[in-house]
Amino acid sequence: TFIFVGGGLFLLCFNIVHVMRAQQRVIDTLHQQFAAFSFAGAACYCCSVNHIDPSTGAAILCDRRCVLGCIIEWFQDVTTFENFVRSELHPHFKNQLGRVGLPYKWLVLASLPWTWYLFDSFASRFRVGDPWSAAFDLILACFTVGPAIIGVNTLLAGMIKVKLSTPARDFALTLTLSFVGFSVFATTIFGWSGIRRITSWWLGALVNGSLSSLITLLIFRGPVKA
């Protein structure tokens, strides 16, 4: 059981780090584009084809003119709009993404498959008269353990997100970061299991719940400073 759970947890951590290193690079690009936003530099398909539909040869309207008209109507001039995007819209976007580039509620939803899997355990434990511990496991999995696992590995991915010069070196880096993330949660989960076996289930659950809740609160606490 420990080998199966440990192997599954490590694969989960590896996939999160691999995907989120690429995602963090995309987010960095978005922040750079926000910071240097310019209406004149925004690409427009209609202008790129000289306002002629390539498939029919018919003239098409200029989207840039339509958008420019809306900007003038709402912001009076382009400069005011550009300043709004850089100084107001960008911080709002950053705050929505959160500290790890994924809002907490998204990670709760991402943890639902694990929660559904635990419903099987919940049903069997409910039948033998142990519903409270099963319910506690479900709550932890969905609201603290799942988001914490994804959050920690995403933070690790963001620390060294630059793609290395060779695929082998990049793979080795992802593997190393994954092992660090895996170690954090392997210690927590297997420690909880050990405490549960030696003392009581509730003491183990208290330790696991406290650690995962603390990690979740530290990662997703408050708004992100611009």
Side-chain angles (χ1 to χ4, degrees):
T1 302
F2 284 124
I3 294 176
F4 175 76
V5 174
L9 180 60
F10 181 78
L11 286 176
L12 174 64
C13 292
F14 180 84
N15 284 324
I16 293 171
V17 172
H18 174 69
V19 171
M20 291 311 300
R21 284 185 65 215
Q23 174 73 2
Q24 293 296 321
R25 292 194 291 269
V26 171
I27 291 175
D28 273 359
T29 300
L30 285 173
H31 288 317
Q32 293 167 9
Q33 291 176 345
F34 265 117
F37 176 77
S38 168
F39 177 77
C44 190
Y45 173 75
C46 59
C47 295
S48 69
V49 296
N50 295 319
H51 307 99
I52 300 295
D53 189 328
S55 59
T56 65
I60 56 178
L61 293 174
C62 181
D63 293 338
R64 183 182 295 276
R65 290 184 180 179
C66 295
V67 173
L68 178 60
C70 293
I71 290 173
I72 299 300
E73 178 70 23
W74 297 335
F75 294 91
Q76 282 70 58
D77 58 71
V78 172
T79 301
T80 303
F81 171 68
E82 291 174 339
N83 290 334
F84 167 79
V85 171
R86 297 171 193 150
S87 61
E88 296 187 43
L89 186 59
H90 184 199
H92 182 67
F93 171 79
K94 184 183 294 186
N95 193 53
Q96 280 192 324
L97 284 180
R99 298 177 187 279
V100 298
L102 292 170
Y104 171 73
K105 60 184 178 182
W106 289 9
L107 300 190
V108 170
L109 293 174
S111 302
L112 286 179
W114 185 12
T115 308
W116 297 332
Y117 166 76
L118 289 176
F119 267 109
D120 179 61
S121 173
F122 175 82
S124 62
R125 287 156 68 180
F126 184 84
R127 284 195 299 269
V128 299
D130 188 25
W132 295 111
S133 64
F136 192 75
D137 276 349
L138 284 172
I139 293 171
L140 282 184
C142 186
F143 294 103
T144 62
V145 177
I149 289 175
I150 301 174
V152 165
N153 282 280
T154 302
L155 280 177
L156 291 170
M159 290 179 182
I160 313 178
K161 56 198 164 208
V162 177
K163 195 172 184 65
L164 298 186
S165 56
T166 65
R169 293 178 62 188
D170 202 62
F171 176 82
L173 175 59
T174 299
L175 200 65
T176 302
L177 294 173
S178 305
F179 182 77
V180 174
F182 165 77
S183 300
V184 171
F185 289 98
T187 302
T188 302
I189 293 174
F190 294 138
W192 160 63
S193 179
I195 294 172
R196 181 182 64 179
R197 292 174 184 274
I198 295 172
T199 58
S200 69
W201 183 92
W202 283 107
L203 180 58
L206 179 63
V207 172
N208 185 30
S210 299
L211 287 175
S212 58
S213 297
L214 178 62
I215 292 171
T216 303
L217 286 172
L218 289 174
I219 293 175
F220 301 103
R221 69 190 187 281
V224 181
K225 293 182 180 180

